[in-house]
Short mmCIF file of all heavy atoms in Angstrom, two decimals:
data_model
loop_
_atom_site.label_atom_id
_atom_site.label_comp_id
_atom_site.label_asym_id
_atom_site.label_seq_id
_atom_site.Cartn_x
_atom_site.Cartn_y
_atom_site.Cartn_z
N ILE S 10 7.60 -2.18 -18.62
CA ILE S 10 7.89 -3.48 -17.98
C ILE S 10 6.98 -3.54 -16.77
O ILE S 10 7.19 -2.82 -15.80
CB ILE S 10 9.38 -3.60 -17.61
CG1 ILE S 10 10.23 -3.48 -18.87
CG2 ILE S 10 9.64 -4.92 -16.88
CD1 ILE S 10 11.72 -3.65 -18.66
N GLY S 11 5.94 -4.35 -16.85
CA GLY S 11 4.88 -4.36 -15.84
C GLY S 11 3.65 -3.68 -16.42
O GLY S 11 3.74 -2.91 -17.41
N GLY S 13 1.13 -2.55 -14.02
CA GLY S 13 0.45 -2.08 -12.82
C GLY S 13 0.33 -0.58 -12.80
O GLY S 13 0.43 0.09 -13.84
N GLY S 14 0.16 -0.04 -11.60
CA GLY S 14 -0.09 1.40 -11.43
C GLY S 14 1.04 2.28 -11.93
O GLY S 14 0.81 3.42 -12.33
N GLY S 15 2.26 1.75 -11.95
CA GLY S 15 3.38 2.55 -12.45
C GLY S 15 3.44 2.55 -13.96
O GLY S 15 4.15 3.36 -14.57
N THR S 33 4.06 -4.99 -20.94
CA THR S 33 4.36 -6.41 -20.76
C THR S 33 4.13 -6.77 -19.30
O THR S 33 4.45 -5.98 -18.41
CB THR S 33 5.82 -6.72 -21.10
OG1 THR S 33 6.66 -6.00 -20.20
CG2 THR S 33 6.16 -6.32 -22.51
N ASP S 34 3.58 -7.92 -19.05
CA ASP S 34 3.40 -8.38 -17.66
C ASP S 34 3.11 -9.88 -17.69
O ASP S 34 2.25 -10.33 -18.46
CB ASP S 34 2.22 -7.63 -17.00
CG ASP S 34 2.26 -7.74 -15.47
OD1 ASP S 34 2.34 -8.89 -14.96
OD2 ASP S 34 2.21 -6.70 -14.81
N PRO S 35 3.84 -10.66 -16.89
CA PRO S 35 3.57 -12.10 -16.90
C PRO S 35 2.16 -12.46 -16.45
O PRO S 35 1.68 -13.55 -16.74
CB PRO S 35 4.61 -12.66 -15.91
CG PRO S 35 5.16 -11.51 -15.17
CD PRO S 35 4.94 -10.29 -15.99
N LYS S 36 1.49 -11.53 -15.74
CA LYS S 36 0.11 -11.81 -15.33
C LYS S 36 -0.84 -11.79 -16.53
O LYS S 36 -1.94 -12.34 -16.46
CB LYS S 36 -0.37 -10.76 -14.33
CG LYS S 36 0.32 -10.85 -12.98
CD LYS S 36 -0.34 -9.90 -11.98
CE LYS S 36 0.24 -10.07 -10.60
NZ LYS S 36 1.59 -9.49 -10.45
N GLY S 41 -1.49 -4.88 -12.04
CA GLY S 41 -0.40 -5.23 -11.13
C GLY S 41 -0.82 -5.93 -9.85
O GLY S 41 -1.86 -6.58 -9.77
N ASN S 42 0.02 -5.76 -8.84
CA ASN S 42 -0.22 -6.44 -7.58
C ASN S 42 -1.31 -5.79 -6.76
O ASN S 42 -1.85 -6.41 -5.84
CB ASN S 42 1.08 -6.52 -6.78
CG ASN S 42 2.07 -7.46 -7.45
OD1 ASN S 42 1.66 -8.50 -7.96
ND2 ASN S 42 3.33 -7.09 -7.49
N SER S 114 7.31 -12.01 -19.33
CA SER S 114 8.28 -11.34 -18.47
C SER S 114 9.33 -10.67 -19.36
O SER S 114 9.79 -11.26 -20.33
CB SER S 114 8.91 -12.39 -17.56
OG SER S 114 9.73 -11.77 -16.63
N ALA S 115 9.70 -9.44 -18.98
CA ALA S 115 10.61 -8.67 -19.82
C ALA S 115 12.01 -8.64 -19.23
O ALA S 115 12.17 -8.65 -18.01
CB ALA S 115 10.08 -7.25 -19.98
N ALA S 142 8.36 -0.57 -14.57
CA ALA S 142 7.33 -0.47 -13.52
C ALA S 142 7.00 -1.89 -13.08
O ALA S 142 5.85 -2.32 -13.09
CB ALA S 142 6.10 0.24 -14.06
N SER S 143 8.07 -2.60 -12.68
CA SER S 143 7.91 -4.02 -12.34
C SER S 143 7.51 -4.22 -10.87
O SER S 143 7.38 -5.35 -10.42
CB SER S 143 9.19 -4.78 -12.69
OG SER S 143 10.32 -4.03 -12.34
N GLY S 144 7.33 -3.14 -10.13
CA GLY S 144 6.72 -3.24 -8.81
C GLY S 144 7.61 -3.87 -7.76
O GLY S 144 8.84 -3.75 -7.78
N ALA S 145 6.95 -4.57 -6.84
CA ALA S 145 7.65 -5.18 -5.71
C ALA S 145 7.01 -6.52 -5.39
O ALA S 145 5.86 -6.77 -5.73
CB ALA S 145 7.57 -4.27 -4.49
N GLY S 309 6.89 3.83 -9.74
CA GLY S 309 6.17 2.94 -8.83
C GLY S 309 7.10 2.22 -7.85
O GLY S 309 8.23 2.64 -7.59
N ASP S 310 6.60 1.10 -7.34
CA ASP S 310 7.28 0.39 -6.25
C ASP S 310 8.73 0.02 -6.59
O ASP S 310 9.55 -0.13 -5.69
CB ASP S 310 6.55 -0.91 -5.91
CG ASP S 310 5.20 -0.67 -5.27
OD1 ASP S 310 4.76 0.49 -5.23
OD2 ASP S 310 4.57 -1.65 -4.83
N ALA S 321 2.36 5.41 -7.42
CA ALA S 321 2.80 4.83 -8.70
C ALA S 321 2.04 5.46 -9.86
O ALA S 321 2.63 5.78 -10.91
CB ALA S 321 2.60 3.31 -8.69
P1 ADP N 1 3.39 -0.65 -9.32
O1 ADP N 1 2.21 -0.21 -8.50
O2 ADP N 1 4.66 -0.01 -8.90
O3 ADP N 1 3.13 -0.58 -10.77
P2 ADP N 1 2.81 -3.53 -9.00
O4 ADP N 1 3.60 -4.48 -8.14
O5 ADP N 1 1.38 -3.32 -8.70
O6 ADP N 1 3.66 -2.20 -8.96
O7 ADP N 1 2.87 -4.03 -10.52
C1 ADP N 1 4.05 -4.46 -11.11
C2 ADP N 1 3.76 -5.52 -12.15
O8 ADP N 1 4.96 -5.77 -12.85
C3 ADP N 1 3.29 -6.85 -11.59
O9 ADP N 1 2.02 -7.17 -12.13
C4 ADP N 1 4.35 -7.85 -12.07
O10 ADP N 1 3.79 -9.08 -12.53
C5 ADP N 1 5.01 -7.13 -13.24
N1 ADP N 1 6.42 -7.52 -13.47
C6 ADP N 1 7.38 -7.80 -12.57
N2 ADP N 1 8.53 -8.14 -13.18
C7 ADP N 1 8.32 -8.03 -14.52
C8 ADP N 1 9.11 -8.24 -15.68
N3 ADP N 1 10.40 -8.58 -15.62
N4 ADP N 1 8.52 -8.09 -16.90
C9 ADP N 1 7.23 -7.71 -17.00
N5 ADP N 1 6.45 -7.49 -15.93
C10 ADP N 1 6.96 -7.65 -14.72
#
Side-chain angles (χ1 to χ4, degrees):
I10 301 183
T33 63
D34 198 307
K36 292 188 174 74
N42 291 321
S114 187
S143 41
D310 292 8

